[in-house]
């Protein structure tokens, strides 16, 4: 069974780069929201487990979260060629994205550190996850095969 991976895969085809192992790792740009994810199906390694990096909530201060939000709202976090050029024209301290995982090289120490700490939540551990979506680095729906249904509830 094939899966639609268009929202996360193949984003740098115009420059011939493969997507990194940290693809889709992000913090949400909506500040002050808790999310709850409830698995409605059995979720294993290949059908989209939710992933979270414990301790990552301490990595991003309020100012950095606001910069990430501003870039997200303005469209500068897009992976299209034009948006990438505009983003690169920003002063280095302002080059922060909510969806930062696409921009990490597999060989980067930051990438290795995030992947080493990343926890993949399989349904055998439980069917409900509650997390702070704007502070902790996370990703989900990395569908490699099959399907997955979830209920997502946001608490503002």
């Amino acid at each position: 069974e094939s899966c639609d991976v268009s929202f996360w895969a193949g984003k740098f085809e115009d420059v011939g780069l493969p997507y990194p192992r940290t693809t889709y790792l992000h913090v949400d740009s909506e500040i002050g929201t808790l999310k709850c994810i409830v698995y409605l199906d059995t979720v294993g390694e290949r059908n989209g487990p939710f992933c979270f990096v414990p301790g990552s909530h301490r990595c991003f201060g309020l100012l950095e979260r606001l910069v990430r939000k501003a870039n997200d709202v303005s469209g500068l976090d897009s992976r299209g060629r034009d948006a990438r050029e505009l983003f690169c024209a920003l002063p280095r301290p302002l080059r922060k994205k909510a969806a930062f995982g696409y921009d990490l090289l597999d060989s980067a120490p930051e990438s290795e550190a995030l992947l080493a700490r990343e926890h993949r939540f399989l349904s055998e551990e439980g069917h409900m996850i509650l997390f702070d979506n704007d502070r902790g680095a996370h990703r989900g729906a990395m569908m490699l095969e099959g399907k997955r249904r979830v209920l997502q509830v946001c608490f503002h």
Side-chain angles (χ1 to χ4, degrees), residues 68-102:
R68 289 176 190 278
K69 170 81 173 175
N71 285 332
D72 184 38
V73 170
S74 67
L76 291 177
D77 68 335
S78 172
R79 290 169 304 280
R81 184 177 192 86
D82 292 341
R84 291 193 323 255
E85 289 175 358
L86 286 172
F87 181 79
C88 288
L90 291 172
R92 186 169 294 280
L94 299 180
R95 290 186 215 151
K96 309 283 185 196
K97 291 183 182 180
F100 60 87
Y102 293 100

Side-chain angles (χ1 to χ4, degrees), residues 87-144:
F87 181 79
C88 288
L90 291 172
R92 186 169 294 280
L94 299 180
R95 290 186 215 151
K96 309 283 185 196
K97 291 183 182 180
F100 60 87
Y102 293 100
D103 299 327
L104 296 175
L105 298 174
D106 285 344
S107 59
E110 299 86 356
S111 177
E112 292 297 326
L114 287 165
L115 292 169
R117 293 191 338 254
E118 182 180 45
H119 181 79
R120 302 169 72 74
F121 289 87
L122 309 180
S123 59
E124 64 192 30
E125 295 179 290
H127 285 263
M128 185 171 77
I129 303 122
L130 179 67
F131 66 102
D132 186 342
N133 69 327
D134 74 316
R135 291 183 184 230
H138 62 278
R139 61 180 163 177
M142 304 301 288
M143 301 293 295
L144 300 173

